[in-house]
Amino acid sequence: MKKILIPFLTVAFGLTLATSCIEEIDPQSSTITKDQAANAPGSYDNFVSGITSSLAGTFQFGAGADKRYPYDYGYPSFYQMRDVMGQDLVPSFSGHQYSTWYSCGVALGPQYLLCQFPWTYYYSWIKNCNTVLSLAGENPDTDKMSGAGIAYAMRAMFYMDLARMFANKTYALDKNAETVPIVTEATALSDLATNPRATNENMWAFILSDLDKAEQYLADYQRPDKLTPDKSVVYGLKARAYLVMEDWENAEKYAKLAQAGYQLMGEADYTDSDTGFNTPNSSWMFGLKFKDTDDNILLNDADSSWGSFMCLEVNGSGCGYASSYGHQFLIDRHLYETTPETDFRRKCFVDFQIAELPQNEQLEALEAYTKYPEWIYASGNKEGKGVGGLSLKFRPAKGGNDNQYLGFLVSVPMMRVEEMYLIEAEAAGMQDESRGIALLTTFAKSRDTSYTYGKHNESYGNPANSAFQNEVWWQRRIELWGEGFATFDIKRLNKGVIRSYPNTNHVEKFRWNSTTPPDWMNLCIVQSETNYNTACTNNPTPIAPTTDSDEYMWSVSYTHLRDHETEADLVC
């Protein structure tokens, strides 16, 4: 990893207004006044639209043909950065494009290039929100009210992510733990040089304040599509916030409110080979979409896109990091093997035993997962470890199987109602366990009619969590796999990471176990911020373990045994 010292970032610090939906002003060459921006025809609506349209599709971090990084494609790229830090999302080999986040060493430190990624993106998005709020004013006129509500909701979502990524302890564990500096539309440029990291207590109070305003301003807003937040999304964000804060009563309340008008995905939608997790349906509350005009699709052979890493069924011109170059994400073998065969979510991942069959039998077995078994076989046998554990959860856009410029034009979920059902169940159970078990069982039976409560309560090194909370966590892990929640849940629940265990599919030399959230999950702040903001502290540079951990021996109490295995075979 090349070491690059980062210059002063106007994106992170400045409050200069944007000239179009997402373009940033260079303060050295041109400026625009607030009044000019506010009075330009249609400008306010353009700024509002820019808040969500900037979430994907452009190379916001790099510039020029030599700096089109494969992982520089917006909000969903952070799903994978966070998820590979844990155990559930496994890179297919050590040279994977996301291996820096998986190997979790000094390359994530404040002096290195990749440390700048979240800082550049998130503060750019926050700046877009601040622009809208500055134009809307403290008491927005009726025609600016919904735009202000969208800005407040999105700013809350961005700070919620930052707080969870950068705080070394979550709100419930330490209200005084530091998160990130807060920059609003009212922050003076002169204050940015002495702007400390907000404590958890102050940050989450700020987030809830933004969400209260969003709820007020979006009360009667009818959104055009699910690419824009509305009141239900605000309820969902409040449910997430109160979950982190362990305010169980409010977490349950808002998770329940958020469910109105949505339906759980059934097996047909979940495993649909044409629309599976690429098209909003009745369960999607909020999402984003890659468009045929996006730079991330038009340039770099569309390889710098979500679909390039998550959609295997694209053959086309031989492009796509997952489909053609061997850079797949696999499901953790233990998570897969603790998923019963009666659970339809298991069908999203290729059974590990298939990889042990002769090639002709593998191709025949793959027909149960895909219309393109030859492609999947070829993909799994490039740099990867065979077809076992390959994900077919995220399908390419319909009609794009032989053309990545069409296949990668997918939508990506940012909030689904399933998450709300799981928040409701956890929050209810932390108040009244029997009520929580009933809610969780109802949810789980919608995925596995044979579900029996109590089979997924492994503590992962932290006995402080109740068996009930562990059971909810397992459901979150399999339900929300690949959707960016892994690190957040590990930190929230004070869990460890288990990569080393018998028959693991994790990459050798990175098979590490811990009993608490590892330090690498506390992201470092880019050095330019601490250089110019003297009040800003930093997290330590992560130090990766030097050797693989001893193998962890799982409990057999919830292992789903194969026909040829007995419990005695698995006793450790």
Side-chain angles (χ1 to χ4, degrees):
M1 174 58 63
K2 184 178 181 181
K3 183 175 179 180
I4 300 178
L5 294 178
I6 311 299
F8 181 77
L9 287 177
T10 57
V11 167
F13 299 110
L15 296 175
T16 310
L17 296 182
T19 56
S20 66
C21 290
I22 57 175
E23 292 295 326
E24 298 292 347
I25 287 291
D26 178 359
Q28 301 297 324
S29 60
S30 58
T31 60
I32 181 171
T33 69
K34 177 181 174 181
D35 288 342
Q36 287 173 325
N39 293 329
S43 62
Y44 182 76
D45 291 340
N46 287 337
F47 284 123
V48 173
S49 175
I51 293 174
T52 50
S53 66
S54 62
L55 291 176
T58 61
F59 293 93
Q60 289 201 36
F61 184 76
D66 61 331
K67 294 183 179 179
R68 291 171 187 156
Y69 302 104
Y71 31 73
D72 181 9
Y73 53 83
Y75 193 79
S77 65
F78 292 96
Y79 295 3
Q80 296 142 329
M81 291 176 192
R82 292 192 298 260
D83 285 359
V84 296
M85 289 182 171
Q87 69 240 346
D88 293 341
L89 203 74
V90 183
S92 53
F93 73 117
S94 61
H96 195 283
Q97 284 290 342
Y98 279 82
S99 62
T100 301
W101 292 276
Y102 182 66
S103 60
C104 305
V106 295
L108 298 180
Q111 294 178 307
Y112 288 80
L113 180 68
L114 295 185
C115 182
Q116 189 178 338
F117 256 85
W119 215 251
T120 299
Y121 265 103
Y122 274 89
Y123 276 99
S124 176
W125 290 326
I126 288 167
K127 187 176 178 181
N128 289 340
C129 295
N130 288 341
T131 296
V132 169
L133 294 173
S134 179
L135 295 175
E138 189 172 347
N139 297 298
D141 293 336
T142 302
D143 63 337
K144 289 184 170 60
M145 202 169 285
S146 62
I150 291 168
Y152 277 122
M154 296 301 293
R155 188 170 72 175
M157 187 182 83
F158 297 141
Y159 275 118
M160 196 181 302
D161 285 359
L162 287 171
R164 291 179 289 179
M165 289 191 290
F166 284 89
N168 60 11
K169 290 185 178 178
T170 61
Y171 179 95
L173 292 173
D174 185 358
K175 294 180 182 179
N176 294 315
E178 294 182 316
T179 60
V180 295
I182 295 174
V183 179
T184 74
E185 76 281 7
T187 304
L189 196 61
S190 58
D191 292 336
L192 296 173
T194 55
N195 190 16
R197 296 167 70 184
T199 63
N200 266 324
E201 186 170 31
N202 291 337
M203 175 59 80
W204 290 94
F206 172 75
I207 288 168
L208 288 175
S209 175
D210 269 9
L211 291 175
D212 285 342
K213 294 171 186 173
E215 184 179 355
Q216 175 188 348
Y217 293 144
L218 294 176
D220 300 316
Y221 174 63
Q222 299 295 317
R223 59 181 174 175
D225 51 46
K226 293 183 179 182
L227 306 180
T228 305
D230 66 357
K231 188 169 64 174
S232 70
V233 176
V234 175
Y235 289 152
L237 292 172
K238 281 192 168 186
R240 287 179 180 175
Y242 285 120
L243 181 72
V244 171
M245 299 170 73
E246 296 189 359
D247 181 340
W248 304 118
E249 183 177 354
N250 275 316
E252 180 184 5
K253 170 187 172 181
Y254 283 102
K256 185 66 175 177
L257 286 171
Q259 295 167 25
Y262 300 98
Q263 295 180 335
L264 293 174
M265 261 193 279
E267 180 176 354
D269 285 334
Y270 212 99
T271 60
D272 192 285
S273 60
D274 291 324
T275 61
F277 287 90
N278 66 26
T279 302
N281 56 37
S282 60
S283 90
W284 285 35
M285 300 173 63
F286 188 30
L288 56 84
K289 180 174 176 56
F290 287 88
K291 304 178 295 298
D292 58 7
T293 55
D294 288 343
D295 286 347
N296 291 108
I297 298 298
L298 296 175
L299 305 176
N300 201 30
D301 296 322
D303 280 341
S304 300
S305 68
W306 166 267
S308 177
F309 285 97
M310 304 305 284
C311 300
L312 277 176
E313 298 163 299
V314 174
N315 198 30
S317 62
C319 295
Y321 271 93
S323 59
S324 299
Y325 309 150
H327 293 243
Q328 303 93 3
F329 289 108
L330 315 175
I331 189 173
D332 171 72
R333 183 161 189 158
H334 180 260
L335 178 59
Y336 176 82
E337 292 183 344
T338 56
T339 305
E341 293 183 2
T342 49
D343 190 323
F344 68 66
R345 294 171 296 190
R346 183 180 170 114
K347 297 179 180 179
C348 292
F349 308 98
V350 177
D351 193 318
F352 285 86
Q353 295 183 83
I354 291 177
E356 301 169 8
L357 300 173
Q359 180 177 345
N360 64 321
E361 294 182 29
Q362 287 192 45
L363 293 173
E364 183 178 351
L366 287 170
E367 291 177 0
Y369 299 88
T370 177
K371 300 173 184 176
Y372 309 98
E374 293 86 359
W375 297 0
I376 301 305
Y377 178 84
S379 294
N381 286 280
K382 286 193 167 65
E383 296 290 352
K385 306 173 181 180
V387 299
L390 289 177
S391 167
L392 290 162
K393 177 177 178 178
F394 301 96
R395 306 286 185 161
K398 188 174 181 179
N401 296 102
D402 58 355
N403 182 343
Q404 79 272 16
Y405 296 104
L406 297 177
F408 297 161
L409 300 181
V410 295
S411 294
V412 181
M414 292 193 286
M415 183 181 290
R416 294 194 285 119
V417 77
E418 286 82 358
E419 179 197 355
M420 298 300 118
Y421 276 83
L422 288 168
I423 291 176
E424 181 195 12
E426 182 176 350
M430 297 306 287
Q431 300 169 79
D432 176 356
E433 188 169 286
S434 62
R435 193 159 56 87
I437 290 173
L439 288 168
L440 182 64
T441 300
T442 298
F443 172 84
K445 280 185 173 294
S446 74
R447 273 79 183 104
D448 175 9
T449 56
S450 301
Y451 172 81
T452 302
Y453 174 80
K455 299 296 185 182
H456 303 286
N457 55 19
E458 177 69 46
S459 68
Y460 279 69
N462 181 10
N465 300 116
S466 66
F468 166 74
Q469 211 167 16
N470 291 332
E471 191 90 8
V472 176
W473 182 46
W474 185 91
Q475 288 291 336
R476 288 178 63 91
R477 290 171 62 203
I478 190 64
E479 178 68 37
L480 302 172
W481 184 92
E483 297 179 53
F485 292 92
T487 286
F488 290 161
D489 279 347
I490 288 169
K491 294 178 74 170
R492 176 176 68 85
L493 296 168
N494 202 29
K495 293 292 189 182
V497 169
I498 307 296
R499 295 181 181 175
S500 179
Y501 54 85
N503 212 23
T504 182
N505 66 321
H506 280 274
V507 180
E508 200 171 355
K509 297 185 179 179
F510 307 110
R511 296 173 178 173
W512 307 321
N513 298 339
S514 67
T515 57
T516 56
D519 289 343
W520 62 71
M521 289 184 174
N522 309 320
L523 299 189
C524 292
I525 294 172
V526 64
Q527 182 172 283
S528 58
E529 177 73 19
T530 55
N531 282 348
Y532 289 91
N533 180 359
T534 58
C536 185
T537 61
N538 211 340
N539 293 329
T541 298
I543 305 298
T546 56
T547 59
D548 286 349
S549 299
D550 293 338
E551 290 184 343
Y552 182 88
M553 298 300 174
W554 297 105
S555 164
V556 298
S557 61
Y558 62 94
T559 300
H560 299 282
L561 309 179
R562 301 192 188 104
D563 292 340
H564 66 278
E565 292 174 330
T566 67
E567 194 162 318
D569 294 328
L570 297 176
V571 171
C572 302

